[in-house]
């Protein structure tokens, strides 16, 4: 199989990047961003795809002085996005497996032994815990869990990154799990 060699335009672009030319980075971004996102979207959700592509392009910028290619820039970028997409898939699978293992330990416990009054009290307590969350955590958590918004939609609405939204929701869940540790399945049943 023949290796694809850098074209003249990419050589000029890489040379400008090495000279810390931000316009060259903008050109790189404009030239490849959309097609790389579309490629990554074949493997992962769109929010993850955008994050992967941004990470790859940011890596190129941060390593511009030592960045050496043995293939075309296009081939390198698509390969990097492909590898990071596979890593993202592996991380999602590992997370799902961990969740399954976590919930397996409680499979015999169900909230069915609670009467209606206890359930209503627990729901009120859960809502109170949610209300007591730090404002940023609460807002992201409610938008995701109760309004069904994706991390990307929340990030756009709040003008923050998807990673920030993920962090806030994870922190909210951590606080809620701590507060509801006596009822491990309550999070599963009452918090969509």
């Amino acid at each position: 199989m023949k290796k694809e060699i850098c074209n003249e335009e990419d050589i000029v672009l890489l040379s400008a990047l090495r000279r810390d030319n931000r316009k060259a980075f903008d050109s790189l971004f404009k030239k490849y961003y959309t097609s790389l996102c579309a490629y990554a979207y074949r493997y992962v959700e769109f929010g993850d795809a955008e994050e992967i592509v941004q990470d790859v392009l940011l890596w190129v910028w941060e390593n511009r002085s030592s960045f050496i290619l043995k293939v075309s820039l296009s081939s390198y970028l698509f390969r990097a996005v492909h590898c990071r997409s596979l890593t993202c898939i592996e991380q999602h699978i590992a997370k799902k497996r961990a969740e399954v293992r976590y919930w397996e330990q409680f499979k015999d416990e169900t909230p069915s032994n609670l009467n209606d009054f206890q359930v209503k009290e627990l729901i009120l307590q859960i809502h109170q815990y949610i209300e007591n969350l730090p404002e940023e955590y609460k807002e992201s958590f409610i938008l995701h869990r109760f309004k069904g918004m994706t991390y990307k939609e929340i990030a756009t609405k709040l003008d923050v990154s998807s990673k920030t939204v993920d962090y806030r929701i994870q922190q909210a869940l951590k606080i809620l799990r701590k507060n509801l540790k006596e009822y491990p399945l309550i999070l599963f049943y009452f918090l969509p």
Side-chain angles (χ1 to χ4, degrees):
M1 186 158 110
K2 185 178 179 183
K3 283 189 179 180
E4 194 178 325
I5 303 170
C6 271
N7 61 38
E8 188 66 33
E9 182 183 356
D10 286 344
I11 291 170
V12 170
L13 193 60
L14 288 171
S15 177
L17 281 173
R18 285 189 186 100
R19 293 189 309 272
D20 298 333
N21 184 326
R22 289 191 185 271
K23 287 184 180 181
F25 180 74
D26 290 342
S27 296
L28 172 77
F29 194 90
K30 288 176 186 172
K31 181 177 181 181
Y32 289 105
Y33 183 78
T34 303
S35 57
L36 290 171
C37 283
Y39 180 69
Y41 186 54
R42 292 170 47 190
Y43 303 101
V44 297
E45 292 182 19
F46 190 72
D48 289 332
E50 285 186 313
E51 196 169 307
I52 288 167
V53 171
Q54 290 167 9
D55 286 348
V56 166
L57 293 174
L58 182 61
W59 185 91
V60 170
W61 173 254
E62 289 173 344
N63 293 279
R64 62 194 174 276
S65 60
S66 60
F67 190 63
I68 298 172
L69 287 177
K70 296 183 182 189
V71 295
S72 73
L73 180 58
S74 174
S75 294
Y76 175 83
L77 292 173
F78 278 92
R79 185 72 181 146
V81 166
H82 177 80
C83 290
R84 288 191 185 208
S85 296
L86 294 179
T87 300
C88 181
I89 291 167
E90 289 170 1
Q91 289 170 343
H92 283 297
I93 290 170
K95 184 177 177 182
K96 290 288 182 198
R97 284 184 183 149
E99 288 174 4
V100 167
R101 281 194 303 272
Y102 177 77
W103 293 113
E104 281 284 317
Q105 65 185 332
F106 302 111
K107 67 182 175 189
D108 295 331
E109 294 180 28
T110 64
S112 62
N113 60 349
L114 300 174
N115 65 39
D116 288 341
F117 177 76
Q118 288 172 313
V119 170
K120 287 176 185 172
E121 285 296 312
L122 267 171
I123 290 172
L124 286 173
Q125 192 174 15
I126 289 168
H127 286 289
Q128 187 59 47
Y129 287 140
I130 292 170
E131 278 304 309
N132 291 336
L133 289 171
E135 196 57 40
E136 298 87 11
Y137 298 174
K138 178 172 66 174
E139 186 175 20
S140 295
F141 181 80
I142 289 172
L143 290 173
H144 181 64
R145 294 294 174 128
F146 296 111
K147 307 259 186 207
M149 293 176 71
T150 65
Y151 286 12
K152 179 67 176 164
E153 291 168 336
I154 297 168
T156 301
K157 179 182 173 96
L158 301 180
D159 195 28
V160 296
S161 72
S162 294
K163 283 187 176 185
T164 299
V165 171
D166 179 49
Y167 174 79
R168 290 175 178 177
I169 291 171
Q170 295 306 318
Q171 291 305 306
L173 285 170
K174 186 176 178 181
I175 292 167
L176 292 172
R177 282 187 192 108
K178 181 180 174 188
N179 290 331
L180 295 165
K181 65 182 171 232
E182 298 167 27
Y183 305 99
L185 284 182
I186 296 302
L187 284 175
F188 181 75
Y189 283 104
F190 293 109
L191 300 178

